[in-house]
Amino acid sequence: MSKKSVIVRQEKRLILVEKYKNIRKNIKQQIKKIKNLEEKISNHNKIQKLPRNKFKPIRNRCCVTGRGRGYYRMFGLSRHVLRNMSHYGLLPGIKKSSW
């Protein structure tokens, strides 16, 4: 299980991304429309003043353990939890294959 601090940090990043998403999008659209170099530079400075934490990658994490690696999107679980839950029959439609 990953540390609680890592999970909380990830949640803070998600909140920051959602908060500044529209602001960043609007500034980028303005930059594309503007042809004057000085105005483009001033708009780039506006983007640079936004919090840097929102640019860090957002990892998919297991909803049970918080593990960031070995993540299956379809289930929202890491490979360890997926395996254990499937052995106990907690995931519908999943069974251990044998041949």
Side-chain angles (χ1 to χ4, degrees):
M1 179 142 179
S2 65
K3 295 192 288 183
K4 294 287 182 183
S5 61
V6 174
I7 297 169
V8 171
R9 190 182 328 144
Q10 183 75 10
E11 290 172 0
K12 284 183 182 179
R13 281 187 192 147
L14 287 171
I15 292 169
L16 274 176
V17 166
E18 288 300 316
K19 182 177 178 182
Y20 291 103
K21 184 178 183 180
N22 292 330
I23 296 171
R24 190 165 191 271
K25 184 179 177 182
N26 290 337
I27 294 173
K28 280 191 154 192
Q29 287 176 352
Q30 289 176 1
I31 290 173
K32 287 181 183 178
K33 291 178 185 176
I34 295 172
K35 298 195 178 186
N36 187 2
L37 182 63
E38 293 173 1
E39 292 178 26
K40 277 190 178 186
I41 291 172
S42 68
N43 281 338
H44 275 291
N45 289 337
K46 288 179 187 176
I47 287 181
Q48 289 176 351
K49 288 179 183 175
L50 295 177
R52 301 278 301 169
N53 199 12
K54 72 179 199 63
F55 297 112
K56 299 212 176 172
I58 296 171
R59 291 196 69 102
N60 291 326
R61 296 198 170 270
C62 175
C63 61
V64 176
T65 61
R67 182 178 165 87
R69 294 180 180 233
Y71 176 82
Y72 284 86
R73 281 187 201 166
M74 188 172 179
F75 302 100
L77 301 171
S78 66
R79 59 190 174 92
H80 304 294
V81 177
L82 179 75
R83 184 171 188 269
N84 288 336
M85 290 178 83
S86 62
H87 279 303
Y88 291 116
L90 298 175
L91 298 174
I94 303 293
K95 64 179 181 179
K96 186 178 181 211
S97 65
S98 60
W99 58 91

